[in-house]
Amino acid sequence: MSRPSLGDIKKLFHEVIIPFHEIERDTTLPLPNHRSDNDAEHSWSLSLMAISLAPEIDIKLDLGLICIYATIHDLVEVYAGDTSVWANDKILVSKKDRETKALEKLKSEFPKFLKMIRYIEDYQKLNTNEARFVYALDKFLNILCIVEDNGYYYKINKITKQRYQAQLASHKLKAHLYPAIGTYYDELRIRFDKDPNHFYKK
């Protein structure tokens, strides 16, 4: 296969890279204005945290793969959009189908960048330590943002402690897909859960 043309690169830039900055995530940042982050910011944050933490947890982890997976882990959201864990059941049930279609569209639109597509597919299989590490760390980072923002997101979205505990039961299991990250996740949530002021009160 011939190398990508300048036109191919510009298409990737305009249809994937720039729109990635416009996908607003359903998470507030611990900043004075409590603004939401976007997929580009989130992926960079996850990448930096992943390559910083991975060598301290297991020197056998492939840092190159980890960086790649963290960078592309949400790329299907360019077409599928971000799906909040707090969305209604109809949206949550449709998530897998929307993301499958999004991946197929990426394949169709960017045949010159098939290696990028294969990395997305490999990550989604979660059959390597590197993929599981990034997947689990992604869950940890989401909670960390809310913890460090003192539960601002939960309070403005009227999420009670009871709803939080019920909804995030599966979230915890995902964080434990890589046990070392699961340990950090549990420690973070235990400390956070102790303060009822982190949640909405009816």
Side-chain angles (χ1 to χ4, degrees), residues 21 32 40 69 74 100 125 158:
H21 289 78
Y69 289 154
D74 276 341
T100 297
K125 292 174 186 174
K158 298 184 177 181

Side-chain angles (χ1 to χ4, degrees), residues 142-172:
N142 289 345
I143 290 293
L144 181 61
C145 283
I146 295 171
V147 168
E148 294 304 305
D149 206 17
N150 296 311
Y152 175 84
Y153 175 90
Y154 294 145
K155 287 178 278 193
I156 64 167
N157 287 285
K158 298 184 177 181
I159 296 172
T160 63
K161 186 172 183 179
Q162 291 73 26
R163 185 183 174 201
Y164 155 87
Q165 290 174 326
Q167 192 78 5
L168 291 189
S170 62
H171 199 258
K172 177 178 178 176

Side-chain angles (χ1 to χ4, degrees), residues 3 8 10 16 23 27 33 64 66 98 101 109 112 115-116 139 164 171-172 183 202:
R3 69 180 186 176
D8 295 322
K10 289 178 68 174
V16 176
I23 300 171
T27 306
N33 62 357
I66 282 175
R98 284 185 288 110
K101 290 178 179 176
E109 293 292 323
K112 293 290 187 177
K115 189 68 173 178
M116 175 185 73
K139 312 313 170 192
Y164 155 87
H171 199 258
K172 177 178 178 176
T183 299
K202 292 183 180 179

Side-chain angles (χ1 to χ4, degrees), residues 90-104:
K90 183 178 180 180
I91 293 175
L92 290 173
V93 168
S94 72
K95 180 177 187 289
K96 184 175 181 180
D97 182 58
R98 284 185 288 110
E99 292 188 350
T100 297
K101 290 178 179 176
L103 182 57
E104 290 304 313

Side-chain angles (χ1 to χ4, degrees), residues 3-130:
R3 69 180 186 176
S5 67
L6 179 58
D8 295 322
I9 297 170
K10 289 178 68 174
K11 181 177 180 178
L12 182 70
F13 178 75
H14 286 292
E15 297 186 20
V16 176
I17 295 173
I18 293 302
F20 207 48
H21 289 78
E22 296 185 306
I23 300 171
E24 188 173 291
R25 289 170 43 78
D26 189 37
T27 306
T28 55
L29 293 169
L31 296 170
N33 62 357
H34 307 285
R35 73 170 178 84
S36 298
D37 64 348
N38 59 57
D39 269 356
E41 292 174 321
H42 166 66
S43 297
W44 176 85
S45 299
L46 182 61
S47 296
L48 181 59
M49 183 173 283
I51 62 173
S52 300
L53 189 56
E56 311 306 322
I57 288 180
D58 185 352
I59 60 172
K60 292 180 289 186
L61 288 169
D62 185 322
L63 282 185
L65 264 183
I66 282 175
C67 190
I68 290 169
Y69 289 154
T71 301
I72 55 85
H73 79 287
D74 276 341
L75 208 56
V76 292
E77 292 183 2
V78 167
Y79 297 129
D82 178 56
T83 303
S84 171
V85 67
W86 307 103
N88 62 51
D89 289 344
K90 183 178 180 180
I91 293 175
L92 290 173
V93 168
S94 72
K95 180 177 187 289
K96 184 175 181 180
D97 182 58
R98 284 185 288 110
E99 292 188 350
T100 297
K101 290 178 179 176
L103 182 57
E104 290 304 313
K105 186 171 182 179
L106 282 169
K107 283 184 186 178
S108 173
E109 293 292 323
F110 299 98
K112 293 290 187 177
F113 299 101
L114 290 181
K115 189 68 173 178
M116 175 185 73
I117 306 300
R118 292 193 186 104
Y119 280 127
I120 297 173
E121 292 173 328
D122 289 345
Y123 171 73
Q124 291 182 345
K125 292 174 186 174
L126 295 176
N127 60 6
T128 64
N129 285 333
E130 288 78 11

